[in-house]
Amino acid sequence: MSIPMIRASISRSLSLSLPFTLSSTDESFSRRKRQLSCAPSELNPVRSEVSFRVGTHLIPHPNKVDRGGEDAFFVSNYDGGVIAVADGVSGWAEQNVDPSLFSRELMSNASYLVGDEEVKNDPQILLKKAHAATSSIGSATVIVAMLERNGILKIANVGDCGLRVIREGQILFSTSPQEHYFDCPYQLSSEMVGQTYLDAAVSSMELMEGDTIVMGSDGLFDNVFDHEIVSTIAKYRDVAEAGIN
């Protein structure tokens, strides 16, 4: 399992700034090295158009570093910004199927379709269209968050990828994992037995300037407690400063 993480702060602006931090580390590093985020700036109500300021980090499992891990993500500057993570299901490797192919194609399709007129800023419909366009064998848990310029964040989640919204040092909102039973999350799949976009947990909320969003696979949230995420975020003033410490 990889641990893709996306940290996004909300700022009042007319454009999307994307300072990326892309790297990988060994699992033997301490958990603190996985707790990469961005810090909120001074908090002000949204009075004008808003957008994401984004930083990313990917930590493949040591046994999967050679192929870049099994997970994928994308960041788009469409409207206020779009962020998404897909966690490839490792079990497919037992059938000699590369688990990364499905998650990567799913994210590639979602990135391409984000501006499709049928999507209309609806992450659930984006999942529908991206899933339908994905031909690779496999499955993945996935989360998509779309920010409108008026500050409304719309979220669609299938499985146990997650998202936290942090405001003034407190977690304001958390997604909940969807599981059939322990270690068997909901997932979009190439097989008929999988879930569809209709099974996605859908939510929305109004963001404020300076809010911080932390998104990642279960590899992040299973290994780093929420209070550790919050305390680590406080060390950074901006996503551009996020890195391995």
Side-chain angles (χ1 to χ4, degrees):
M1 177 181 294
S2 304
I3 307 176
M5 294 172 284
I6 297 176
R7 295 89 56 202
S9 62
I10 307 303
S11 59
R12 289 188 295 159
S13 65
L14 298 176
S15 62
L16 175 66
S17 178
L18 300 175
F20 290 99
T21 304
L22 293 170
S23 59
S24 60
T25 70
D26 191 282
E27 286 282 343
S28 63
F29 282 25
S30 67
R31 289 193 309 165
R32 184 168 300 279
K33 294 184 179 180
R34 304 179 191 174
Q35 302 168 22
L36 305 181
S37 317
C38 61
S41 59
E42 184 179 354
L43 190 64
N44 291 302
V46 174
R47 298 189 182 90
S48 60
E49 294 184 340
V50 297
S51 64
F52 284 140
R53 183 170 175 83
V54 180
T56 65
H57 193 69
L58 178 65
I59 309 175
H61 188 282
N63 296 336
K64 305 167 186 176
V65 170
D66 58 339
R67 59 178 183 271
E70 298 171 347
D71 306 337
F73 64 86
F74 84 86
V75 175
S76 170
N77 64 357
Y78 179 80
D79 203 14
V82 183
I83 53 179
V85 168
D87 182 346
V89 176
S90 299
W92 284 96
E94 299 174 2
Q95 302 182 39
N96 294 319
V97 173
D98 184 347
S100 70
L101 298 181
F102 185 90
S103 58
R104 290 173 182 173
E105 185 182 357
L106 182 68
M107 290 290 92
S108 177
N109 289 332
S111 178
Y112 177 75
L113 292 164
V114 70
D116 188 278
E117 62 179 21
E118 293 182 24
V119 173
K120 296 180 179 178
N121 286 312
D122 187 333
Q124 192 175 23
I125 300 303
L126 179 59
L127 286 180
K128 172 187 177 181
K129 295 183 70 68
H131 187 197
T134 300
S135 59
S136 296
I137 297 174
S139 58
T141 62
V142 59
I143 185 169
V144 177
M146 306 183 75
L147 179 65
E148 296 182 348
R149 290 286 189 175
N150 61 5
I152 301 299
L153 183 70
K154 297 180 178 180
I155 306 159
N157 181 42
V158 178
D160 56 9
C161 289
L163 177 148
R164 306 287 187 269
V165 176
I166 301 169
R167 180 178 295 169
E168 295 185 314
Q170 301 292 325
I171 292 182
L172 185 68
F173 172 82
S174 299
T175 55
S176 298
Q178 298 173 303
E179 293 184 323
H180 297 287
Y181 50 84
F182 177 72
D183 206 30
C184 184
Y186 283 21
Q187 53 199 264
L188 298 183
S189 175
S190 59
E191 306 300 305
M192 294 296 293
V193 295
Q195 280 65 61
T196 74
Y197 73 102
L198 294 173
D199 297 296
V202 178
S203 53
S204 65
M205 65 175 299
E206 184 174 358
L207 298 180
M208 300 175 69
E209 182 184 0
D211 285 352
T212 300
I213 298 95
V214 178
M215 175 187 284
S217 71
D218 65 322
L220 170 62
F221 298 109
D222 285 352
N223 289 281
V224 184
F225 294 116
D226 283 352
H227 70 86
E228 294 176 311
I229 293 174
V230 172
S231 64
T232 302
I233 283 174
K235 299 177 182 179
Y236 298 97
R237 293 185 305 166
D238 190 85
V239 292
E241 298 179 2
I244 299 174
N245 292 281

